[in-house]
């Protein structure tokens, strides 16, 4: 089973920076896309940024120019560098992996989507 583990969340002042990291573990052959989503209290989960294995990126308008997503395909990790953080960025950030292919015991397995447990990011003075 694919497991996603996030790290890097915490408390930061407005204008500060944080870097989130997510590592996927398991008998992984490939991951089509990885990304970050966030959910603030009383709000629905929303896309922050995604990146495909070929390097194509997609950002929410609210974070363009401030956040940068990157990934290391060999290590099955995805990073989110967050700069110029604002109070409205406060949320639980979830790592996502789509199109995960695994090989185990002579068989290939595929999972459409996997999610991490989330890491809290709080931007406050």
């Amino acid at each position: 089973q694919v497991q996603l583990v996030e790290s890097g969340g915490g408390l930061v002042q407005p204008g500060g920076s944080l870097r989130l990291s997510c590592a996927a573990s398991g008998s992984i052959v490939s991951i089509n896309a990885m990304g970050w989503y966030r959910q603030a209290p009383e709000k629905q989960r929303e896309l922050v940024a995604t990146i495909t294995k070929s390097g194509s990126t997609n950002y929410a308008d609210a974070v363009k120019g401030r956040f940068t997503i990157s990934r290391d395909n060999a290590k099955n990790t995805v990073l989110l560098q967050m700069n110029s953080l604002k109070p409205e960025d406060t949320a639980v950030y979830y790592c996502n992996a789509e199109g995960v292919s695994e090989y185990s015991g002579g068989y290939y397995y595929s999972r459409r989507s996997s999610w991490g447990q989330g890491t809290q990011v709080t931007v406050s003075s």
Side-chain angles (χ1 to χ4, degrees):
Q1 292 291 329
V2 175
Q3 183 178 18
L4 303 178
V5 180
E6 304 106 327
S7 63
L11 175 65
V12 64
Q13 294 183 341
S17 299
L18 284 174
R19 185 172 70 178
L20 304 184
S21 177
C22 173
S25 62
S27 302
I28 300 171
V29 177
S30 65
I31 301 175
N32 184 51
M34 301 186 75
W36 291 92
Y37 294 72
R38 67 187 182 186
Q39 186 169 20
E42 308 299 326
K43 296 186 180 297
Q44 294 185 328
R45 187 173 300 184
E46 64 180 7
L47 179 148
V48 177
T50 61
I51 183 169
T52 68
K53 60 184 178 182
S54 63
S56 297
T57 59
N58 181 42
Y59 294 92
D61 289 341
V63 307
K64 287 182 179 178
R66 298 188 298 119
F67 292 7
T68 301
I69 189 170
S70 61
R71 68 183 284 180
D72 186 332
N73 294 333
K75 297 180 179 180
N76 293 315
T77 60
V78 61
L79 303 176
L80 184 68
Q81 179 65 48
M82 304 185 293
N83 298 325
S84 302
L85 284 163
K86 305 174 181 179
E88 50 262 46
D89 293 319
T90 296
V92 176
Y93 284 70
Y94 296 91
C95 178
N96 171 258
E98 296 184 354
V100 181
S101 178
E102 298 179 271
Y103 183 81
S104 180
Y107 296 91
Y108 283 96
Y109 301 87
S110 181
R111 177 177 289 274
R112 180 179 178 181
S113 182
S114 298
W115 294 90
Q117 293 299 307
T119 183
Q120 177 70 48
V121 172
T122 302
V123 184
S124 176
S125 60

